[in-house]
């Protein structure tokens, strides 16, 4: 006889019918429209219970949580009806010690969110109830019409003493157990929205569409208070540092700025006047002028036998400079002095080099001094950086709410450091998360110039639309002062003036990158010059004149070497330039060879002369066939 299995490996017809609605997706309830309370969770704390109780309606609570709530509010937290502790029913539930899950004491099946569960009240007081699965109750009580409790043996009435705790097919009970319909949850949400919704004023730091439970809201509120205390302490510390070191550092930064300004002017002069070719760039683009191929196929072009690199364009030179800045892997630091106070801004030169270079070079050239913040939207951002005296243009600017409303934004109106707008730079490491994010203002893709904005709070809808290039790391209290300034409702212009008085560069890796790029280009030009000289000298058989000149280190010998590269008549290199040199050198070589041959014949008595011809054929018995 085969051994019987512990569990059956198939579903019965009853189980098929019970799960039919789930398999066919034909349930009367929509899982997306409701949020049913899990069976093992309290309806007040929304956390698992350990000492369960329930109401006559079948809503489960944790006894230690519902009792103080009823003593204080005297009402049901789910329905809002009047209720006291006398209305609670203590539940006797069986629990599996190994899995810690509630289960049916008769069938030993664990209760899930799809199990129909009933509780049978114990007479005569009816203050307690034993919990069973509906399957056990139906098979052992309803079918045989034996209404006796399966554990205590007491009789009960089907209509009065049976409480349905969970039934996925009962629409009215599922609606009652829906978390969205709980009265205490709705009251908590209304209080939260009245206090500012998704604003950081509560310290929650979440958007308005995130819903917290009551316990989670209390925890987040406590964390928010602690966060505000830390922020206030940090702001006080930054104020002391700014007041103590502001005067001494200001003189030092002025001297440094004068030196950097001179260095900047020298670098600008080099890149503006010195011809730069594509093979000298950091990107090493081998782009030729095309004259050699053109002269091969065209009769109108002059004959050119060398493929030389073409001059680099302005865009290619800027791209090479940005690569040099990015390879440094350094951050920039700017202290922005406004009429409300100073803010320290960290610039991400190692991630968005072109945007960072534009901002730092404009700040180095005092382009932002006297510029006003012309737009401020509370709970969103403040925008500035426009050059004084430049006209206005209107453009669309997404406000960031879930609605489709838009705000008008002034277009850049004036150019970037290079004059023309430049392309966006996006990186997943730089997002509009939190207050103090510094990003570029634009009027569409690839229209960055000089205007920027600073966020008051997170604005994730601007990610990959505006290039983030910095973050406020000091002086956040100044940013909060800006947000509190009232604005015009139509134009969003601050009613009080907010002006950039000065920008001091504390760390500027841009000048270091430009200087290293200039030195690298000069070194590349010198290598090309020596290579060209060596190529020309090798054609005359004079060896490596470039290296010889470097070893001599004498200017007079350099001049002689340069004269040797010219023809006898003083003209430049042309067709037939080697004829005279070759004629003179050939005679001397023949005389030297004859002299060496005579010396060898005198030294050797019997020289053996070997013929270079192949050996004669061997003698055979065959003739030339003339007798045939």
């Amino acid at each position: 006889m085969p051994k019987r299995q512990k569990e059956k490996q198939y579903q019965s017809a009853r189980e098929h019918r019970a799960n039919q609605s789930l398999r066919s997706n034909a349930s009367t309830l929509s899982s997306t429209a409701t949020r049913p309370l899990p069976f093992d969770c309290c309806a007040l704390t929304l956390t698992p219970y350990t000492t369960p109780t329930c109401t006559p309606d079948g809503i489960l609570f944790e006894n230690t949580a519902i009792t103080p709530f009823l003593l204080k509010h005297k009402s049901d937290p789910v329905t809002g009806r009047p209720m006291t502790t006398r209305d609670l029913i203590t539940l006797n539930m069986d629990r599996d010690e190994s899995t810690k899950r509630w289960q049916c004491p008769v069938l030993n099946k664990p209760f899930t969110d799809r199990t129909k569960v009933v509780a049978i009240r114990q007479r005569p007081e009816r203050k307690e109830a034993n919990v069973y699965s509906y399957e056990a109750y139906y098979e052992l009580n309803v079918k045989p019409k034996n209404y006796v409790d399966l554990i205590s043996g007491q009789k009960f009435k089907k209509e009065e003493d049976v409480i349905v705790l969970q039934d996925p097919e009962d629409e009215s009970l599922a609606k009652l157990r829906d978390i969205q319909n709980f009265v205490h949850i709705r009251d908590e949400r209304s209080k939260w929205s009245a206090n500012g919704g998704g604003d950081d004023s509560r310290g929650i730091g979440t958007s308005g569409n995130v819903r917290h439970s009551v316990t989670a809201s209390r925890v987040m509120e406590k964390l928010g208070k602690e966060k505000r205390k830390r922020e206030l302490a940090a702001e006080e510390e930054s104020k002391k540092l700014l007041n103590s070191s502001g005067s001494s550092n200001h003189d030092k930064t002025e001297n440094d700025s004068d030196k950097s300004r001179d260095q900047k002017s020298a670098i600008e002069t080099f890149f503006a006047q010195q011809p730069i070719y594509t093979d000298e760039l950091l990107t090493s683009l081998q782009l030729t002028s095309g004259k050699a191929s053109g002269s091969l196929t065209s009769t109108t072009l002059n004959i050119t036998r060398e493929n030389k690199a073409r001059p680099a364009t302005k865009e290619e030179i800027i791209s090479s400079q940005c690569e040099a800045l990015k390879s440094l892997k350094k951050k920039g630091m700017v202290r922005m002095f406004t009429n409300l106070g100073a803010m320290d801004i960290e610039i991400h030169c190692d991630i968005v080099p072109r945007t960072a270079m534009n901002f730092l070079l404009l700040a180095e050239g005092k382009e932002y001094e006297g510029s006003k913040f012309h737009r401020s939207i509370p709970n969103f951002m403040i925008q500035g950086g426009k050059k004084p005296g430049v006209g206005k243009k209107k453009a669309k600017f997404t406000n960031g709410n879930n609605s489709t409303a838009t705000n008008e934004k002034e277009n850049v109106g004036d150019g970037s450091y290079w004059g023309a707008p430049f392309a966006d730079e996006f990186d997943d490491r730089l997002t509009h998360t939190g207050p103090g994010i510094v990003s570029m203002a634009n009027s569409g893709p690839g229209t960055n110039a000089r205007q920027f904005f600073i966020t008051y709070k997170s604005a994730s809808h601007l990610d990959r639309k505006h290039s983030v290039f910095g973050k406020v790391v000091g002086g956040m209290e100044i940013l909060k002062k800006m947000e509190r300034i009232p604005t015009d409702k139509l134009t969003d212009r601050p009613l009080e003036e907010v002006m950039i008085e000065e920008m001091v560069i504390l760390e500027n890796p841009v000048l270091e990158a430009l200087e290293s790029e200039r030195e690298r280009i000069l070194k590349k030009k010198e290598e090309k010059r020596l290579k060209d000289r060596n190529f020309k000298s090798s054609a005359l058989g004079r060896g490596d004149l470039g290296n010889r000149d470097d070893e001599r280190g004498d200017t007079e010998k350099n001049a002689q070497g340069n004269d040797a590269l010219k023809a006898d008549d003083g003209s430049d290199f042309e067709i037939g330039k080697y004829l005279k040199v070759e004629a003179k050198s050939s005679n001397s070589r023949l005389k030297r060879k004859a002299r060496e041959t005579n010396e060898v014949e005198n030294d050797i008595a019997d020289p053996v002369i070997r013929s270079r011809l192949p050996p004669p054929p061997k003698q055979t018995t065959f003739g030339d066939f003339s007798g045939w």
Side-chain angles (χ1 to χ4, degrees):
M1 182 176 181
K3 186 178 179 180
R4 186 173 181 177
Q5 296 180 351
K6 293 183 179 180
E7 294 183 359
K8 58 184 180 181
Q9 301 299 318
Y10 59 92
Q11 281 189 334
S12 64
R14 184 180 301 278
E15 291 171 338
H16 272 293
R17 288 193 298 270
N19 298 326
Q20 182 179 3
S21 60
L22 180 63
R23 292 196 311 270
S24 61
N25 198 20
S27 177
T28 57
L29 299 176
S30 175
S31 59
T32 57
T34 60
R35 297 179 61 192
L37 179 71
F39 176 75
D40 59 345
C41 289
C42 170
L44 179 61
T45 62
L46 306 182
T47 57
Y49 48 73
T50 55
T51 55
T53 60
C54 74
T55 63
D57 296 330
I59 305 301
L60 283 81
F61 296 96
E62 168 62 36
N63 188 35
T64 58
I66 188 61
T67 301
F69 183 89
L70 293 177
L71 293 175
K72 181 179 180 180
H73 298 282
K74 308 292 184 181
S75 63
D76 189 346
V78 174
T79 61
R81 293 192 295 264
M83 182 178 174
T84 63
T85 56
R86 296 179 181 178
D87 299 326
L88 295 176
I89 302 171
T90 304
L91 299 178
N92 300 321
M93 297 178 64
D94 186 34
R95 195 170 192 176
D96 189 356
E97 295 299 331
S98 60
T99 61
K100 302 299 181 182
R101 297 180 65 182
W102 303 107
Q103 65 179 2
C104 176
V106 178
L107 303 178
N108 291 334
K109 284 186 176 182
F111 295 143
T112 65
D113 293 338
R114 298 290 303 175
T115 307
K116 188 175 182 179
V117 184
V118 297
I120 299 177
R121 303 176 72 170
Q122 304 297 304
R123 288 180 178 269
E125 297 180 357
R126 302 176 66 192
K127 294 293 184 182
E128 295 183 4
N130 296 332
V131 181
Y132 307 96
S133 65
Y134 182 80
E135 183 180 359
Y137 162 72
Y138 182 80
E139 293 292 339
L140 300 177
N141 293 117
V142 178
K143 267 190 175 182
K145 297 182 180 180
N146 180 27
Y147 297 104
V148 177
D149 190 271
L150 301 176
I151 294 179
S152 64
Q154 296 181 3
K155 292 185 178 182
F156 63 90
K157 294 183 179 180
K158 178 181 178 181
E159 293 79 10
E160 298 178 3
D161 298 333
V162 178
I163 302 173
V164 180
L165 300 180
Q166 180 176 253
D167 186 5
E169 304 300 328
D170 189 351
E171 186 175 355
S172 60
L173 182 60
K175 186 177 182 181
L176 185 63
R177 289 174 54 80
D178 188 0
I179 297 176
Q180 298 179 1
N181 298 328
F182 290 178
V183 173
H184 71 97
I185 296 292
R186 289 204 302 263
D187 294 342
E188 190 67 25
R189 287 175 182 168
S190 61
K191 292 178 183 178
W192 179 68
S193 59
N195 290 335
D199 190 7
D200 287 342
S201 59
R202 282 192 54 180
I204 296 178
T206 56
S207 58
N209 58 354
V210 177
R211 297 170 179 173
H212 292 302
S213 64
V214 179
T215 306
S217 300
R218 293 173 187 155
V219 173
M220 296 299 291
E221 187 173 358
K222 184 178 179 181
L223 293 176
K225 291 180 181 179
E226 295 177 356
K227 181 181 177 182
R228 287 197 296 272
K229 288 181 182 179
R230 293 195 300 268
E231 288 181 352
L232 291 174
E235 289 174 5
E236 293 295 332
E237 188 69 21
S238 62
K239 284 181 181 179
K240 294 178 182 179
L241 291 175
L242 288 174
N243 294 333
S244 61
S245 62
S247 59
S248 60
N249 289 339
H250 191 66
D251 297 336
K252 182 180 178 181
T253 51
E254 280 186 352
N255 297 331
D256 294 341
S257 62
D258 293 338
K259 294 179 181 178
S260 61
R261 201 174 296 115
D262 297 338
Q263 183 183 8
K264 176 189 172 187
S265 61
I267 293 173
E268 287 178 347
T269 303
F270 170 79
F271 283 104
Q273 298 180 359
Q274 188 76 12
I276 301 175
Y277 297 89
T278 55
D279 59 346
E280 299 169 354
L281 300 177
L282 187 61
T283 52
S284 298
L285 296 174
Q286 299 296 332
L287 301 177
T288 62
S289 60
K291 292 182 179 180
S293 59
S295 64
L296 180 64
T297 58
S298 176
T299 57
T300 59
L301 297 178
N302 296 329
I303 297 176
T304 305
R305 295 180 177 84
E306 295 183 6
N307 271 330
K308 294 184 178 180
R310 66 167 174 81
T313 62
K314 184 178 180 181
E315 179 64 25
E316 292 170 348
I317 295 174
I318 295 174
S319 299
S320 181
Q321 295 171 354
C322 293
E323 286 294 327
L325 177 59
K326 191 174 183 178
S327 62
L328 288 180
K329 298 181 179 180
K330 292 184 179 180
K331 301 283 188 182
M333 185 68 68
V334 176
R335 179 164 294 172
M336 183 173 65
F337 292 91
T338 67
N339 56 340
L340 299 180
M343 289 191 295
D344 291 341
I345 302 175
E346 183 185 48
I347 310 299
H348 304 293
C349 302
D350 56 336
I351 303 177
V352 282
R354 187 180 294 253
T355 310
M357 183 182 296
N358 174 71
F359 180 79
L360 289 174
L361 290 177
L362 288 174
E364 186 73 30
K366 308 296 182 182
E367 293 290 331
Y368 286 117
E369 291 185 3
S371 177
K372 298 179 182 180
F373 286 96
H374 57 277
R375 172 167 290 104
S376 177
I377 303 176
N379 248 358
F380 185 27
M381 62 90 203
I382 184 168
Q383 180 181 342
K386 190 169 76 72
K387 196 170 184 178
V390 177
K392 302 176 182 179
K393 295 181 181 180
K394 298 292 183 178
K396 295 293 181 180
F397 190 82
T398 306
N399 190 12
N401 300 328
N402 292 331
S403 62
T404 57
T406 58
N407 286 338
E408 287 188 344
K409 182 185 77 69
E410 290 188 12
N411 197 8
V412 176
D414 43 350
S416 63
Y417 173 78
W418 303 285
F422 58 92
D424 301 312
E425 288 182 304
F426 300 131
D427 193 283
D428 292 337
R429 292 172 289 179
L430 303 178
T431 57
H432 298 81
T433 304
I437 300 299
V438 186
S439 184
M440 290 298 294
N442 59 41
S443 57
T447 58
N448 299 292
R450 55 178 291 150
Q451 288 193 39
F452 61 92
F453 63 90
I454 307 174
T455 60
Y456 291 141
K457 58 172 291 185
S458 298
S460 58
H461 65 285
L462 299 181
D463 292 344
R464 307 197 73 81
K465 294 181 181 178
H466 296 263
S467 302
V468 177
F469 66 92
K471 182 179 181 181
V472 177
V473 295
M476 289 295 293
E477 71 280 358
I478 307 301
L479 187 63
K480 293 182 179 179
K481 286 182 182 179
M482 295 179 180
E483 186 177 10
R484 290 193 291 267
I485 293 177
T487 59
D488 186 89
K489 293 183 179 180
L490 297 177
T491 62
D492 295 323
R493 185 177 294 275
L495 299 180
E496 299 179 12
E497 187 179 79
V498 183
M499 181 187 294
I500 301 175
E501 296 179 347
E502 187 182 7
M503 277 196 180
V504 179
I505 310 296
L506 303 180
E507 295 290 339
N508 192 0
V510 173
L511 294 182
E512 181 181 353
L514 294 179
E515 180 63 25
S516 64
E517 182 70 0
R518 185 175 72 91
E519 293 176 356
R520 193 192 60 77
I521 291 175
L522 289 175
K523 185 178 179 181
K524 191 77 173 178
K525 288 181 177 294
E526 182 65 19
E527 292 176 356
K528 288 173 61 179
R529 187 183 66 84
L530 293 177
K531 184 178 179 181
D532 189 42
R533 289 185 58 188
N534 293 335
F535 176 75
K536 293 178 179 179
S537 60
S538 63
L540 294 177
R542 298 184 181 273
D544 192 352
L545 284 182
N547 293 337
R548 265 193 298 177
D549 292 342
D550 294 339
E551 292 174 359
R552 292 174 185 174
D554 191 354
T555 57
E556 184 176 345
K557 292 182 179 181
N558 289 342
Q560 293 176 359
N562 293 333
D563 293 339
L565 295 178
K566 294 186 177 181
D568 293 344
D569 57 355
S571 60
D572 295 334
F573 292 101
E574 57 185 359
I575 296 175
K577 58 186 176 181
Y578 305 118
L579 296 180
K580 297 180 180 181
V581 178
E582 185 66 23
K584 294 180 180 179
S585 60
S586 60
N587 295 329
S588 60
R589 284 198 299 270
L590 292 174
K591 292 179 181 179
R592 186 169 57 253
K593 187 175 181 180
R595 187 166 55 252
E596 292 175 357
T597 304
N598 294 332
E599 292 176 357
V600 171
E601 290 177 353
N602 295 332
D603 294 338
I604 302 175
D606 297 323
V608 179
I609 301 175
R610 295 181 180 179
S611 175
R612 298 176 65 181
L613 297 176
K618 296 180 180 180
Q619 296 294 332
T620 62
T621 57
F622 298 102
D624 56 357
F625 304 101
S626 60
W628 285 39

